[in-house]
Amino acid sequence: MESLLNEIGSCGRFQTLLILSANIPKILFALFMLFMSFGNYNPGWRCLDNNGTSFAIENDTSPQYTTGNCQLHESCHEVEYDPSASTIVTEWNLACGRSWISSIISSSQMIGILIGAYFTGYIGDKFGRKFTLLGAILVNVVLNLLIIFSTHWPMYVVLKILSGMSNSAYRFLPLVYCTEFVSSKWRVAVASFPFYGLGAILFAVLAMVTKDWRQIHIIVVCATAFSFIIMLWLPRSIRWLATHEKKNDAFKAAKKVAKLNRRPVPSKSTVDHLISICIDGGARSKKYTIKDLFQKGVKLYTFMITIIYFTIGLTFYVISFGIKSLPGNLYTNLIIVYSVALCANASAIFLGNRLGRRKSHFLFFLVMTFSLFGVVTTIFTAPDKTESKGILALALIARASAAAAWYISTTVMNELFPTVIRGTINGWANLSTQTGASVAPFLVPREKDLMYVSYLVMALLNLVCTFFYFLIPETTGNQLQDTWKEVVVEDSEPEEEKSKIKCQIDDVKTKMTNNVELIESQLSPLYTNI
């Protein structure tokens, strides 16, 4: 199918519109994923007496809002939170002894994505990238409307899990969808375009302006409905249509792409011929499932992808959820963290093609490893005046490197696995990422004295991923594969070859026997005369 894409244009006006339209859900995914970095923010509280008036606390000279003194919090008749911000903590009184509920809520959205990761990948392979995305968007509109009217935290947790299941499609399907329309040179750019980063900055601005968790959800509902309307015009993936033998739909999609790119429209016979070649290559020889990811020839890649994405998810979200524990103002830190992440996008685009996928993978994981070890070293050795600034700077570098490593790893993964199972492997990678993200809230340091434990664990995991450099093949410049036989040699093929050779030997034996019998029959009269 690569030749067809080159003919109708693999980098033109259509691809620009596609990337901008299909990745709106990725912006919304950032809002969903990072919501709890604001949602579990405690703006401060104070005790109220029986008359509803505040009173001084122990040695305090005035009844100001505080985030500490949890022993007194438990004995308060009534708690009033600082009205400057409305968060999940202030809504359901989740401070001090109830702070564990915030971790449950944070993990609930991750668990939802964890559950939905495999199913959305499989559904994306079975029913197509576009239809799966549109279905996920519709479900999210309904669920976010219900979230706005949550009356207690258990209801909020259930809705977050369900919303997470549909949100899992946002993480990888837009990327798979767009990757199948572009050439090798632009795949890293497609993966690295900062839609998630833009969503993160948008979230930080929304949190700063609204300071209200319900208002943020209302904005998400409106933006999600808008993205559904925008995506209706997009054609379905030509590669996916080809591997499912939908010749008429594939021709319509190719025609639409060619017109938008101002290229000659290919004839239907040409498209049908290319699809026939794709089918003959084994595109529909079987129904692929997650079990096929562990076949001989790709199971090592699947194992590495599992470790890599778990590590990236853990590192990225421990730092993201731990922003409130970093020194400085919460809202300023949010904007700084997500702005720095944009540098990771630019570096991934440049180095992904300049150095190649393999060396870029090694570089970003190496930087991440040294940054995380640097945080541990800073905690134990830096003077008090510079310690907080050093930790913040190194944490920002580690998080940006995690984002860049994700872009490169995703590009390599999509180039290693064929169209028929590309959605499934992305779902599996998403599953691994969300496993790490689900663990992240429990690894976020709640006390400064224990911060080094979290960063040491992350540093060791990233060190392991760094050494995967020696096992990952270089995929820069490779064409995207569509069928399984283009990628691996199935285990049955050696047996088939042996069977063919055996049949050939048997044929030779049979022919020799027949020839001997023929010669004997011709010589038999001579023997009789003699």
Side-chain angles (χ1 to χ4, degrees):
M1 300 306 296
E2 202 81 15
S3 59
L4 175 62
L5 287 176
N6 290 333
E7 184 179 343
I8 63 178
S10 58
C11 180
R13 187 167 58 170
F14 166 76
Q15 278 75 17
T16 302
L17 294 173
L18 169 71
I19 291 168
L20 292 175
S21 302
N23 281 284
I24 293 176
K26 203 168 184 178
I27 296 175
L28 301 175
F29 182 74
L31 298 179
F32 175 81
M33 289 297 295
L34 300 173
F35 175 80
M36 286 308 293
S37 59
F38 167 75
N40 62 10
Y41 171 58
N42 181 0
W45 56 270
R46 62 184 179 185
C47 280
L48 299 179
D49 59 20
N50 294 333
N51 296 322
T53 57
S54 59
F55 60 89
I57 301 173
E58 290 186 344
N59 296 326
D60 293 343
T61 58
S62 61
Q64 299 297 317
Y65 295 102
T66 181
T67 58
N69 209 341
C70 286
Q71 289 183 348
L72 188 61
H73 179 276
E74 301 301 324
S75 61
C76 286
H77 174 74
E78 186 179 352
V79 175
E80 177 188 78
Y81 285 89
D82 188 341
S84 64
S86 175
T87 68
I88 303 302
V89 173
T90 65
E91 184 73 21
W92 292 302
N93 188 23
L94 305 184
C96 293
R98 290 166 57 85
S99 62
W100 60 271
I101 298 175
S102 295
S103 295
I104 294 294
I105 295 174
S106 296
S107 285
S108 68
Q109 63 183 29
M110 301 302 175
I111 291 170
I113 295 180
L114 189 69
I115 296 170
Y118 168 69
F119 294 104
T120 50
Y122 176 76
I123 293 170
D125 279 338
K126 188 173 180 62
F127 298 104
R129 314 343 183 175
K130 178 183 175 180
F131 287 172
T132 306
L133 270 173
L134 288 175
I137 290 171
L138 277 178
V139 170
N140 262 304
V141 169
V142 175
L143 290 174
N144 273 284
L145 279 173
L146 294 174
I147 284 174
I148 294 169
F149 298 100
S150 297
T151 55
H152 46 77
W153 71 264
M155 176 182 175
Y156 187 80
V157 167
V158 172
L159 290 172
K160 273 289 186 179
I161 292 174
L162 295 175
S163 180
M165 291 173 66
S166 55
N167 260 284
S168 61
Y170 291 1
R171 176 188 285 277
F172 64 90
L173 275 183
L175 175 56
V176 175
Y177 189 20
C178 295
T179 297
E180 293 178 346
F181 278 102
V182 300
S183 60
S184 173
K185 181 181 178 181
W186 298 103
R187 287 176 205 147
V188 178
V190 170
S192 305
F193 204 84
F195 289 105
Y196 190 95
L198 291 173
I201 293 174
L202 175 62
F203 166 74
V205 172
L206 287 176
M208 179 181 289
V209 173
T210 66
K211 297 181 181 179
D212 189 300
W213 70 275
R214 277 196 170 91
Q215 290 184 27
I216 293 175
H217 277 295
I218 291 171
I219 293 170
V220 169
V221 169
C222 297
T224 305
F226 174 75
S227 69
F228 179 84
I229 297 172
I230 291 295
M231 281 194 62
L232 288 174
W233 77 274
L234 296 175
R236 302 172 75 181
S237 168
I238 297 175
R239 290 181 181 274
W240 183 89
L241 292 169
T243 56
H244 287 74
E245 205 175 355
K246 298 180 181 294
K247 295 182 179 181
N248 291 332
D249 291 337
F251 174 69
K252 291 177 183 178
K255 183 178 179 181
K256 190 169 190 176
V257 174
K259 285 184 176 180
L260 282 170
N261 284 337
R262 297 172 183 174
R263 294 287 190 93
V265 177
S267 64
K268 190 174 186 305
S269 59
T270 300
V271 176
D272 290 349
H273 174 67
L274 291 172
I275 291 176
S276 298
I277 294 173
C278 182
I279 295 168
D280 291 339
R284 298 194 67 191
S285 59
K286 61 175 291 187
K287 299 294 182 182
Y288 295 95
T289 65
I290 200 167
K291 293 180 181 178
D292 294 294
L293 300 179
F294 297 92
Q295 282 195 29
K296 182 180 179 181
V298 295
K299 59 185 177 182
L300 177 60
Y301 300 150
T302 303
F303 170 76
M304 290 191 292
I305 285 170
T306 304
I307 302 300
I308 286 171
Y309 279 84
F310 173 84
T311 302
I312 291 175
L314 184 70
T315 304
F316 189 87
Y317 288 107
V318 165
I319 297 174
S320 297
F321 291 148
I323 289 174
K324 60 184 177 59
S325 64
L326 294 175
N329 177 267
L330 170 68
Y331 303 109
T332 304
N333 285 346
L334 283 171
I335 294 176
I336 291 174
V337 167
Y338 302 137
S339 298
V340 170
L342 295 180
C343 299
N345 297 79
S347 61
I349 293 172
F350 177 75
L351 296 176
N353 286 319
R354 188 85 174 189
L355 295 180
R357 324 297 199 222
R358 195 163 170 252
K359 290 181 180 178
S360 299
H361 165 93
F362 177 80
L363 177 63
F364 288 125
F365 272 105
L366 189 65
V367 171
M368 217 182 332
T369 302
F370 276 110
S371 299
L372 295 168
F373 276 125
V375 171
V376 177
T377 304
T378 302
I379 291 172
F380 288 104
T381 62
D384 293 338
K385 292 183 179 180
T386 59
E387 179 185 358
S388 60
K389 292 181 180 179
I391 291 173
L392 178 60
L394 289 169
L396 290 176
I397 294 171
R399 188 185 180 280
S401 299
W406 188 89
Y407 303 138
I408 296 297
S409 299
T410 301
T411 304
V412 172
M413 177 176 62
N414 285 327
E415 291 173 338
L416 284 176
F417 288 83
T419 300
V420 292
I421 203 167
R422 191 170 292 126
T424 302
I425 185 59
N426 274 269
W428 178 260
N430 194 19
L431 187 73
S432 303
T433 303
Q434 293 313 131
T435 303
S438 298
V439 175
F442 298 98
L443 201 61
V444 172
R446 299 186 182 280
E447 298 179 13
K448 185 178 177 182
D449 294 340
L450 297 176
M451 182 180 289
Y452 77 94
V453 177
S454 301
Y455 281 84
L456 183 60
V457 171
M458 293 188 293
L460 293 173
L461 284 171
N462 279 280
L463 183 62
V464 172
C465 293
T466 303
F467 286 105
F468 284 159
Y469 163 80
F470 299 101
L471 301 174
I472 294 175
E474 181 57 74
T475 61
T476 305
N478 288 2
Q479 294 185 358
L480 280 187
Q481 306 302 327
D482 294 305
T483 67
W484 193 253
K485 288 186 177 181
E486 293 176 274
V487 180
V488 296
V489 178
E490 296 183 2
D491 293 338
S492 60
E493 289 190 352
E495 296 298 328
E496 291 176 1
E497 292 297 324
K498 290 179 183 179
S499 179
K500 288 179 181 179
I501 294 172
K502 185 178 179 181
C503 288
Q504 290 174 356
I505 294 172
D506 290 340
D507 287 341
V508 171
K509 287 181 178 180
T510 302
K511 289 179 181 179
M512 290 178 64
T513 302
N514 292 337
N515 288 335
V516 169
E517 290 177 353
L518 178 61
I519 293 171
E520 288 180 349
S521 64
Q522 291 176 349
L523 293 176
S524 180
L526 294 175
Y527 293 147
T528 304
N529 293 333
I530 295 172

